[in-house]
Amino acid sequence: MKHTFTIVIEKDIPVSLNSISTVFYVKLDEYCFPSHGWTDLSYNVLMMWIAEVFRNNPASQKRTLYFMDGPYSIEIIKKSTDSLVLRCVHQNICTYEGTCRCVDFLGGLVTGLTDFLKIVKNEYLNNPQFRSVVQDVECAVSQVQLELRRLGQ
């Protein structure tokens, strides 16, 4: 069975520069985490996740992606060269576990980043304060796409 990883991002409200709140949650297969309609500081979360995914520590087979609000995280464990175990964790308790291919996980990151970028560009394109946000997210998209190309996808 092919498992899916999706980041759901929908327009909500801006909070302040570099802190844009949107509907932001993950769907692993059909499981919504932290919950359907969850809102979070999506820019901050996405940038933390990119930094963690690409953190240079070859010995570590595990990464933890945190949400800003609440005690929620996603543990990523490298199962093989092409497979990841994703664990949705709330207060140190695994609430859902699934596997997905590395390329599907990275593809989900690209889609989430791109969806976020569309929101920012549509809402704040003419606001120079958000140029750095756009540049950061565009750089993150390029970084993930480069990794996808490296993996042959």
Side-chain angles (χ1 to χ4, degrees), residues 80-146:
S80 67
T81 56
D82 186 45
S83 182
L84 303 171
V85 174
L86 302 177
R87 292 183 179 146
C88 300
V89 178
H90 176 235
Q91 295 182 336
N92 298 319
I93 298 169
C94 179
T95 60
Y96 186 83
E97 181 176 302
T99 60
C100 74
R101 297 181 322 147
C102 294
V103 295
D104 294 331
F105 172 77
L106 292 172
L109 276 178
V110 167
T111 301
L113 288 161
T114 302
D115 289 348
F116 177 77
L117 195 56
K118 287 176 191 172
I119 291 170
V120 173
K121 284 184 172 181
N122 286 340
E123 296 295 315
Y124 310 106
L125 183 61
N126 296 321
N127 185 335
Q129 293 180 323
F130 286 91
R131 283 191 189 128
S132 65
V133 171
V134 170
Q135 290 170 344
D136 288 348
V137 177
E138 287 175 338
C139 182
V141 169
S142 296
Q143 185 177 14
V144 179
Q145 288 173 331
L146 182 65

Side-chain angles (χ1 to χ4, degrees), residues 6-88:
T6 308
I7 298 173
V8 178
I9 298 179
E10 300 168 357
K11 181 183 165 193
D12 197 5
I13 56 168
V15 176
S16 65
L17 179 62
N18 296 344
S19 297
I20 300 168
S21 180
T22 67
V23 169
F24 183 95
Y25 60 95
V26 166
K27 281 182 75 175
L28 183 55
D29 301 323
E30 292 302 313
Y31 183 76
C32 298
F33 185 76
S35 65
H36 183 270
W38 181 264
T39 60
D40 215 320
L41 299 173
S42 46
Y43 170 74
N44 303 69
V45 173
L46 287 167
M47 293 300 101
M48 284 189 322
W49 287 11
I50 292 297
E52 180 66 7
V53 166
F54 290 99
R55 180 173 46 95
N56 190 11
N57 185 357
S60 175
Q61 296 293 311
K62 180 179 171 184
R63 300 281 193 259
T64 303
L65 309 180
Y66 293 97
F67 288 80
M68 293 292 289
D69 295 330
Y72 299 98
S73 63
I74 299 171
E75 293 178 351
I76 303 171
I77 301 155
K78 192 171 185 178
K79 186 175 175 181
S80 67
T81 56
D82 186 45
S83 182
L84 303 171
V85 174
L86 302 177
R87 292 183 179 146
C88 300

